[in-house]
């Protein structure tokens, strides 16, 4: 595999792997390991297929540099409006999830290790201020910090898998599904964990529009997270009891509860450190990456100057909405990840499917049209599932 293709594979995989995988053991406990594996495979196929769809559009339109640009050019005003709303809602939902997860992890850790019971709202505000300060420092600083932390995150993940997998009780993975209704809530969350499609236009440009390099980069880039997710859920759900994980998913700070449980199960100082570091790093790298993109987008959209005053105004627009959402709905880590899936479906499945249909509608064979409608249809199912959970028709996770 050539250097650029390999680098593109890691960019795609790194974009997917993040804080969402922390919630996977909790969700897996609710739906059962076997059902979770099926959901992972389905969403992996969807992610790979949608990535190829986006690449197809970008290869056909060499001047396209973003999903927003492609939708605006191919689908006119409806595409531009849909892409704009999805582009804004996705990072806001993810930022809310990361604030909730980081604040909950901080609250649970302080209470467990130091017996400090601080209010959740104060910790959410503190977490937001810290990340806002880092983003204010500029893209170059964030890039340096994020790259270093991501490499350390991968090392910690490797340490965890090597330590936990030998201790797995495989009988625990045969635990039954708590309720089939939880599948509706799990589907959007798993799809969010394969969200890399916004990077595909940049990958296409980086690989000079060569399909022979683009296809393997997307397929391998989508497959690497799939493998890591399988190992992670098997390790976590195989060492912690099913009942304990189900109980954790209902707590206000499920992230810290999971970390503490894994630490106590391992009974090793090294593993405890690795678990704590991995969780903190996963939340940090995901938050920084999403928040930086949203910050730059808002600065450009609002026309704010690159001055102290301008950056402070942009930071307020970037961080206040998700912070307010978290303060109004504490413990919304898993729920916010589910809401992010709706915007991701629009960007990654519906808009690319419609663009490919418009570009190649007359040239597509019957099976290709059927596959295209199947992809968009599953995207519609994911949105309906999240709506059903949001209005209370289906039970929510957490």
């Amino acid at each position: 595999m050539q250097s650029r293709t390999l680098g593109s594979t890691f960019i795609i995989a790194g974009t997917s792997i993040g804080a969402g995988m922390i919630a996977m053991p909790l969700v897996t406990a609710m739906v059962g390991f076997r059902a979770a594996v099926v959901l992972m495979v389905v969403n992996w196929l969807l992610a790979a297929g949608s990535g190829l769809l986006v690449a197809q559009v970008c290869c056909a339109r060499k001047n396209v540099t973003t999903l927003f640009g492609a939708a605006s050019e191919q689908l006119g005003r409806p595409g531009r409006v849909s892409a704009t709303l999805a582009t804004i809602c996705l990072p806001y939902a993810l930022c809310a999830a990361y604030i909730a997860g980081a604040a909950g992890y901080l609250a649970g850790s302080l209470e467990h290790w130091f017996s400090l019971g601080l209010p959740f709202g104060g910790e959410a505000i503190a977490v937001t201020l810290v990340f806002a300060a880092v983003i204010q420092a500029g893209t170059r600083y964030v890039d340096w910090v994020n790259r270093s932390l991501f490499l350390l995150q991968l090392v910690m993940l490797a340490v965890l898998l090597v330590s936990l997998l030998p201790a797995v009780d495989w009988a625990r993975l045969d635990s039954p599904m708590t309720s089939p209704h939880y599948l509706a809530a799990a589907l959007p969350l798993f799809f969010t964990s394969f969200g890399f499609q916004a990077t595909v236009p940049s990958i296409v440009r980086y690989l000079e529009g060569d399909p022979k390099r683009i296809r393997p980069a997307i397929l391998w880039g989508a497959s690497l997270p799939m493998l890591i997710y399988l190992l992670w859920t098997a390790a976590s759900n195989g060492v912690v009891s099913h009942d304990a994980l189900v109980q954790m998913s209902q707590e206000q700070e499920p992230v810290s509860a999971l970390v503490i449980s894994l630490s106590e199960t391992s009974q090793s100082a090294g593993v405890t450190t690795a678990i704590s570091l991995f969780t903190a790093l996963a939340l940090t790298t995901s938050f920084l990456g999403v928040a930086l993109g949203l910050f730059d987008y808002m600065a450009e959209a609002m026309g704010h100057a690159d001055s102290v005053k301008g950056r402070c105004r942009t930071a307020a627009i970037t961080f206040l909405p998700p912070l307010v959402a978290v303060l109004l709905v504490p413990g919304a880590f898993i729920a916010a990840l589910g809401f992010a899936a709706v915007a991701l479906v629009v960007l990654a499945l519906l808009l690319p499917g419609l663009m490919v249909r418009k570009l190649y509608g007359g040239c597509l064979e019957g099976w290709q049209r059927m596959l295209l409608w199947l992809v968009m249809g599953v995207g519609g199912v994911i949105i309906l599932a999240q709506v059903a959970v949001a209005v209370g028709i289906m039970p929510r996770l957490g």
Side-chain angles (χ1 to χ4, degrees):
M1 187 178 287
Q2 297 182 12
S3 174
R4 286 199 174 193
T5 305
L6 182 62
S8 299
T9 298
F10 287 141
I11 289 174
I12 291 171
T15 304
S16 299
I17 299 170
M21 70 180 290
I22 299 173
M24 283 189 172
L26 305 172
V27 178
T28 298
M30 303 297 287
V31 301
F33 183 74
R34 293 176 183 176
V37 171
V38 172
L39 287 176
M40 285 185 204
V41 172
V42 169
N43 284 287
W44 163 62
L45 292 173
L46 275 177
S50 63
L52 293 174
L53 286 178
V54 175
Q56 190 76 18
V57 172
C58 294
C59 287
R61 291 291 183 266
K62 303 293 186 183
N63 61 320
V64 167
T65 58
T66 64
L67 279 174
F68 174 82
S72 299
E73 180 181 304
Q74 293 300 311
L75 303 177
R77 185 176 180 180
R80 181 167 60 254
V81 172
S82 299
T84 300
L85 291 175
T87 300
I88 293 174
C89 291
L90 177 60
Y92 269 136
L94 290 175
C95 283
Y98 300 150
I99 291 173
Y105 168 67
L106 179 61
S109 298
L110 289 176
E111 184 174 356
H112 179 78
W113 300 112
F114 303 104
S115 299
L116 292 176
L118 301 179
F120 176 83
E123 285 158 340
I125 294 172
V127 165
T128 305
L129 289 175
V130 169
F131 281 101
V134 175
I135 296 296
Q136 283 273 53
T139 303
R140 180 178 298 180
Y141 180 74
V142 173
D143 176 49
W144 180 83
V145 171
N146 212 42
R147 191 182 308 179
S148 303
L149 294 181
F150 183 70
L151 290 175
L152 182 58
Q153 176 188 337
L154 293 180
V155 172
M156 292 301 102
L157 177 59
V159 171
L160 281 180
L161 293 177
V162 170
S163 303
L164 294 177
L165 284 174
V168 167
D169 181 357
W170 298 101
R172 285 180 170 169
L173 301 182
D174 289 329
S175 299
M177 184 185 302
T178 303
S179 169
H181 298 300
Y182 283 114
L183 289 172
L187 183 59
L189 188 141
F190 276 106
F191 183 68
T192 305
S193 299
F194 287 93
F196 63 84
Q197 292 77 5
T199 66
V200 172
S202 300
I203 296 298
V204 170
R205 188 168 64 253
Y206 183 58
L207 297 179
E208 301 172 339
D210 184 0
K212 293 182 178 179
R213 292 191 290 172
I214 294 170
R215 290 195 191 101
I218 291 174
L219 294 176
W220 283 109
S223 300
L224 184 57
M226 168 70 179
L227 175 61
I228 290 175
Y229 294 159
L230 280 173
L231 293 174
W232 167 242
T233 52
S236 302
N237 292 69
V239 299
V240 180
S241 71
H242 173 263
D243 292 341
L245 287 168
V246 171
Q247 183 178 352
M248 289 175 208
S249 67
Q250 307 302 319
E251 296 182 9
Q252 185 170 322
E253 288 91 26
V255 175
S256 62
L258 176 62
V259 171
I260 292 168
S261 180
L262 288 171
S263 300
E264 292 176 346
T265 301
S266 67
Q267 296 182 343
S268 166
V271 174
T272 298
T273 302
I275 292 171
S276 299
L277 275 176
F278 170 73
T279 304
L281 291 169
L283 288 166
T284 300
T285 55
S286 297
F287 198 174
L288 286 176
V290 171
L292 178 63
L294 180 59
F295 183 92
D296 289 341
Y297 180 87
M298 286 299 175
E300 182 177 353
M302 296 295 177
H304 291 167
D306 189 18
S307 60
V308 174
K309 182 179 179 180
R311 293 182 73 83
C312 286
R313 292 170 62 192
T314 304
I317 296 173
T318 300
F319 292 102
L320 280 180
L323 174 61
V324 170
V326 170
L327 293 176
L328 293 176
V329 188
F333 176 58
I334 295 177
L337 289 175
F339 277 110
V342 175
L344 183 60
V345 164
V346 173
L347 284 174
L349 296 180
L350 300 185
L351 290 180
L354 291 173
M355 286 187 282
V356 168
R357 183 173 178 270
K358 185 173 182 179
L359 279 170
Y360 303 101
C363 305
L364 296 175
E365 297 182 10
W367 69 271
Q368 292 174 318
R369 285 194 295 270
M370 185 181 299
L371 186 60
L372 193 60
W373 282 112
L374 177 62
V375 169
M376 291 192 290
V378 175
V381 170
I382 294 174
I383 292 178
L384 290 175
Q386 183 57 38
V387 171
V389 171
V391 300
I393 298 176
M394 294 290 184
R396 72 183 185 95
L397 297 164

